[in-house]
Amino acid sequence: MTVVLDALTKTVTVPVAPDLAFAFFTRDIARWWPLATHSVGEFDAVSVHIEPRQGGHIVETVRDGGVHVWGTVTGWEPPHRLAFTWHPGSPEEQATAVEVGFTAAGAGTVVTLVHTGWENRPDGAGARQGYDTGWDVVLGHLVDFATKATAG
């Protein structure tokens, strides 16, 4: 019997409209994602890129020119929704699923990330626990980037 673990949900608010929040998350991901701590290559990671279409890949590039595919875009609906499989450093068949929603809220945008599919991983419970704090760090970098971008 497969144990289904609860979805992991994270919410932050960024001080920009949904179209810009979506662009920051996707187009500008290399400018805010904490690659040194949250990537396959860590300190050897030099960039990450989301191919902007359904079926596109999320790809990390490392110093020697090698690449690591983190996932595949399964939903591309700017500026409201982005969905993708997620398996950085793991085989594709162990992919989890991430959906990110962008909802207008006053002068800003509520970004809601929902991460599911933990049962696809042999270490599902442990992975979920790690991502519980990991997504806080990552989304904190998004908030900082958006805040600085609007201040300057």
Side-chain angles (χ1 to χ4, degrees), residues 41-61:
E42 297 179 329
F43 289 105
D44 286 329
V46 294
S47 188
V48 62
H49 173 74
I50 298 176
E51 296 174 338
R53 60 180 171 77
Q54 181 134 350
H57 292 110
I58 304 168
V59 179
E60 169 190 342
T61 303

Side-chain angles (χ1 to χ4, degrees), residues 33-48 60-64 66 68 70:
W33 190 278
L35 287 170
T37 57
H38 291 74
S39 65
V40 178
E42 297 179 329
F43 289 105
D44 286 329
V46 294
S47 188
V48 62
E60 169 190 342
T61 303
V62 292
R63 197 170 320 283
D64 68 4
H68 300 282
W70 290 1

Side-chain angles (χ1 to χ4, degrees), residues 67-88:
V67 297
H68 300 282
V69 176
W70 290 1
T72 303
V73 176
T74 58
W76 183 264
E77 301 168 25
H80 306 292
R81 179 181 168 270
L82 171 68
F84 46 90
T85 64
W86 189 248
H87 59 89

Side-chain angles (χ1 to χ4, degrees), residues 1-130:
M1 181 169 104
T2 301
V3 175
V4 177
L5 298 168
D6 289 341
L8 181 60
T9 302
K10 298 291 179 177
T11 302
V12 295
T13 301
V14 294
V16 296
D19 59 336
L20 195 50
F22 187 93
F24 283 172
F25 195 100
T26 57
R27 179 194 67 208
D28 296 325
I29 191 169
R31 296 177 62 196
W32 61 267
W33 190 278
L35 287 170
T37 57
H38 291 74
S39 65
V40 178
E42 297 179 329
F43 289 105
D44 286 329
V46 294
S47 188
V48 62
H49 173 74
I50 298 176
E51 296 174 338
R53 60 180 171 77
Q54 181 134 350
H57 292 110
I58 304 168
V59 179
E60 169 190 342
T61 303
V62 292
R63 197 170 320 283
D64 68 4
V67 297
H68 300 282
V69 176
W70 290 1
T72 303
V73 176
T74 58
W76 183 264
E77 301 168 25
H80 306 292
R81 179 181 168 270
L82 171 68
F84 46 90
T85 64
W86 189 248
H87 59 89
S90 298
E92 189 173 359
E93 57 271 9
Q94 293 179 15
T96 54
V98 177
E99 183 164 330
V100 187
F102 302 84
T103 306
T109 300
V110 174
V111 179
T112 304
L113 182 145
V114 180
H115 194 161
T116 60
W118 305 107
E119 61 279 0
N120 292 339
R121 294 182 56 131
D123 62 342
R128 187 188 182 284
Q129 184 177 3

